[in-house]
Amino acid sequence: MSLPDWEEEASAQKSLLNLGRNEIKRRGRQRAAPTSVVTGNGSLDMASSRSEEKVNGFDDELTPRLAGDRLNVLLLLFLYVLQGIPLGLAGSIPMILSSQHVSYHDQAFFSLVFWPFSLKLIWAPIIDSVYSKSFGRRKSWLVPTQYLIGAFMLLLSVFADQVMDRSNGKSPNIYVITVAFFMLNFLASVQDIAVDGWALTMLSKRNVGYASTCNSVGQTAGYFIGNVLFLAFESAEFCNKYIRSTPEPLGILTLTGYLWFWGIVFVVSTSFVWFIKTESDDSHDETEGVLSAYWTLWKILKLPSVMKLCIILLSSKAAFAAAEAVAGLKLIEYGVHKEQLALLAIPMVPLQVVLPILVSKYTAGPKPMDMFLKSYPFRMLMGIEFALLVWITPKMQLADGTFPAAYYGLVLLSYAVHQVALYGMFVSVMGFFARISDPIIGGTYMTLLNTVYNLGGNWPNTLVLSLVDDLTWATCTEGTLSGQACQKPEQREACKSAGGSCSTDVDGFYVQMVICTVFGLFWFRFFRKRISALQDLPESAWRIRAK
């Protein structure tokens, strides 16, 4: 896992979104019940209805109890683990590319593979509405999608060494790599939609709340296996230092072997799901067709309040893009081993579990975005701290190319403090989404707003990565090419081949840090009062009118 990780915030948002989305769907189904009251923070006061259930003797039917659902919970957990594997592998590729000294233009192009999960709202209505009733509403998409993921992995395993050029020392074929992992992530997003929908009918009503737990735990575990575990055991340095007694030139795992193994797992496990697991018919839960779903999204987007909120969400993360998209790659560029950065994700897991719970206590009122406004400048400050961390990295490197334990402690501390600001922002945003979403269409409303918020992080990350090399100025010193520019990888190689060395005069990363920080200051000053004003709008400002 890089510092910071591109997928981490999206995964955390997704876990919280599932909880909020399920609650809003529950509110929508119960909106006609006279005993239900929606409170100011978007939660549902079920005191009266729960009392009535106890009187009628139905309370026990709603008490979570895994008896009868254990196998279903395990199946859901396994499916979500599978979903996290391609995501984790995709998250590991930028670190591998950085260790091979590819250009930041190539890194920017590869960053497009992380967009499908932010855009899945575009194809979600189709997946929810188009299916074969005889085959199963969710299996119609799950089975062919997982077969395709397995097939892509098996095919990529054949060409992995060639496209990554790990055997001949040439530059990786970034176009083939990007297309392959874009398709893997796109298919994983389709699988995610299908599994999310199946979870609501696979589990009994009393245990449907376990779906979010399976999602969070399973996807996190899958991402860990595909990212942290792979990077550690793929590294020859890590394996020789901690596992082997006799050093070898390669790690225990290879990208080719790892892709082949998981490709086989996908194919075999999908076959078992297809032939063994039956699916209950939930076609009666269909509330709208494809065109109706898209029309609903359009009506939401046309609301003046939503348009203003979308502008805020799309622009808010640009202030952090340089620090959060480039800093981790810069550390690898300056000699930090990618597997060491990946292993720093392990002590972060407990913090990432506890932080949303702690922060939610301060976002559960009528003004959840107050925490967003407090966290924003703090997150900008941590971005500056990341820049300082990058700056001191070469100075802390030891003579043998390694780094002292104190350095990794500093990285870990910086990463941990950054999480406080990150979670402070997105938990408050999720709370605000839950408060303003129309209960009648809560799932659609929440997913739309979350999609916009995720896009607000994707486009600036891709942009800053594409501009790092262009804003960098370096010259070749000594040799036959002395005085010529060498900010690009091929120019650096030419300078080195000519007997010179490349000296960086201006690092584009620091230029971008200044630009992003200045942008963030102006953004915060301009939107602070407007965000507060959005919180004060009446509920009717966020509702669409039925026609």
Side-chain angles (χ1 to χ4, degrees), residues 84-331:
I85 299 298
L87 297 178
L89 283 171
S92 69
I93 296 300
M95 305 179 76
I96 295 175
L97 294 176
S98 183
S99 66
Q100 294 182 343
H101 309 293
V102 302
S103 70
Y104 282 95
H105 285 288
D106 288 346
Q107 291 280 12
F109 188 74
F110 183 81
S111 71
L112 295 175
V113 307
F114 302 112
W115 285 56
F117 263 79
S118 296
L119 298 173
K120 67 179 181 177
L121 181 64
I122 298 174
W123 47 85
I126 299 175
I127 296 170
D128 280 335
S129 304
V130 179
Y131 57 92
S132 169
K133 189 173 182 180
S134 59
F135 195 69
R137 182 178 179 182
R138 309 301 174 182
K139 287 171 67 176
S140 294
W141 290 95
L142 178 70
V143 171
T145 296
Q146 290 199 166
Y147 272 136
L148 284 173
I149 293 176
F152 262 98
M153 285 185 164
L154 291 173
L155 180 63
L156 189 57
S157 71
V158 177
F159 301 101
D161 283 336
Q162 181 180 349
V163 298
M164 293 295 290
D165 286 317
R166 302 167 70 81
S167 58
N168 54 25
K170 295 182 180 179
S171 298
N173 190 329
I174 195 66
Y175 299 103
V176 174
I177 298 170
T178 301
V179 170
F181 278 95
F182 183 91
M183 289 305 302
L184 282 176
N185 275 5
F186 169 75
L187 292 170
S189 74
V190 174
Q191 191 254 25
D192 176 50
I193 297 169
V195 176
D196 282 350
W198 198 2
L200 299 178
T201 56
M202 185 185 298
L203 300 177
S204 60
K205 290 183 178 180
R206 70 170 58 179
N207 292 322
V208 73
Y210 285 109
S212 294
T213 303
C214 292
N215 181 303
S216 178
V217 174
Q219 193 182 75
T220 300
Y223 191 90
F224 180 87
I225 293 170
N227 186 284
V228 179
L229 202 64
F230 168 69
L231 286 174
F233 289 98
E234 185 266 352
S235 167
E237 292 85 356
F238 178 86
C239 294
N240 292 336
K241 184 176 181 180
Y242 297 105
I243 300 176
R244 294 179 176 137
S245 57
T246 303
E248 295 184 18
L250 297 176
I252 294 175
L253 298 178
T254 63
L255 182 60
T256 295
Y258 211 60
L259 286 167
W260 183 86
F261 171 78
W262 284 109
I264 295 296
V265 171
F266 266 92
V267 171
V268 173
S269 61
T270 302
S271 300
F272 274 101
V273 173
W274 182 4
F275 292 109
I276 295 177
K277 181 61 181 175
T278 58
E279 181 180 355
S280 60
D281 180 17
D282 65 336
S283 58
H284 59 278
D285 292 332
E286 187 73 44
T287 56
E288 58 181 357
V290 177
L291 295 180
S292 297
Y294 287 121
W295 179 242
T296 299
L297 291 173
W298 175 243
K299 289 194 294 183
I300 296 173
L301 283 171
K302 288 199 305 180
L303 291 173
S305 56
V306 173
M307 292 179 65
K308 294 176 183 177
L309 179 60
C310 286
I311 293 174
I312 291 172
L313 297 176
L314 286 172
S315 58
S316 62
K317 297 182 187 176
F320 323 123
E324 299 184 1
V326 183
L329 300 179
K330 279 291 178 181
L331 296 185

Side-chain angles (χ1 to χ4, degrees), residues 503-520:
S503 175
T504 301
D505 302 312
V506 179
D507 193 324
F509 168 64
Y510 299 112
V511 176
Q512 289 185 327
M513 277 299 307
V514 173
I515 295 173
C516 289
T517 302
V518 172
F519 172 84

